[in-house]
């Protein structure tokens, strides 16, 4: 794997950009489908709905992903230290 992609900041930024692009594409498409198939309402494109909300969604998802990643790494370190402690105590 590329050493540049192993850095957490680069991973976070790349995840944010990918999630943002997907949200900006899929969010309006889903709303168009909802308006045309289910609610039969008029579709109105607004900056708040289709620019600000995907940015907020991407930022929140990035933060949640990296908080989960941090706690997963901490738990893995704890398990590894417990394994070493039980291995040393058996000897």
């Amino acid at each position: 794997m590329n050493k540049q992609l192993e850095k957490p900041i680069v991973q976070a930024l790349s995840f944010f950009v990918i999630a943002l692009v997907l949200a900006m594409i899929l969010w309006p498409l889903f709303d168009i489908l909802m308006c045309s198939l289910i609610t039969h309402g008029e579709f109105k494109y607004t900056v708040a709905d289709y620019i600000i909300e995907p940015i907020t969604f991407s930022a929140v998802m990035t933060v949640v992903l990296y908080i989960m990643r941090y706690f997963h790494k901490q738990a893995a370190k704890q398990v590894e230290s417990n394994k070493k402690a039980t291995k040393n105590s058996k000897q």
Side-chain angles (χ1 to χ4, degrees):
M1 183 176 220
N2 188 356
K3 289 288 184 188
Q4 187 71 12
L5 289 178
E6 293 178 6
K7 296 180 181 178
I9 291 294
V10 175
Q11 287 179 350
L13 287 175
S14 63
F15 179 80
F16 175 77
V17 169
I18 290 169
L20 180 64
V21 169
L22 287 175
M24 286 185 152
I25 292 170
L26 295 177
W27 206 284
L29 288 176
F30 178 71
D31 198 29
I32 288 171
L33 288 173
M34 288 290 293
C35 287
S36 64
L37 298 177
I38 296 173
T39 62
H40 301 292
E42 183 181 351
F43 175 75
K44 294 179 184 177
Y45 190 90
T46 61
V47 174
D49 288 339
Y50 302 110
I51 302 294
I52 304 299
E53 284 182 13
I55 290 172
T56 306
F57 172 77
S58 299
V60 168
M61 289 305 295
T62 303
V63 169
V64 167
L65 176 76
Y66 281 91
I67 288 173
M68 288 174 46
R69 183 175 179 243
Y70 172 77
F71 285 119
H72 177 72
K73 280 187 176 184
Q74 293 299 322
K77 285 180 184 178
Q78 184 68 31
V79 168
E80 189 65 33
S81 66
N82 287 344
K83 283 182 182 179
K84 286 181 182 178
T86 54
K87 185 177 181 180
N88 289 337
S89 66
K90 287 182 182 179
Q91 292 177 355

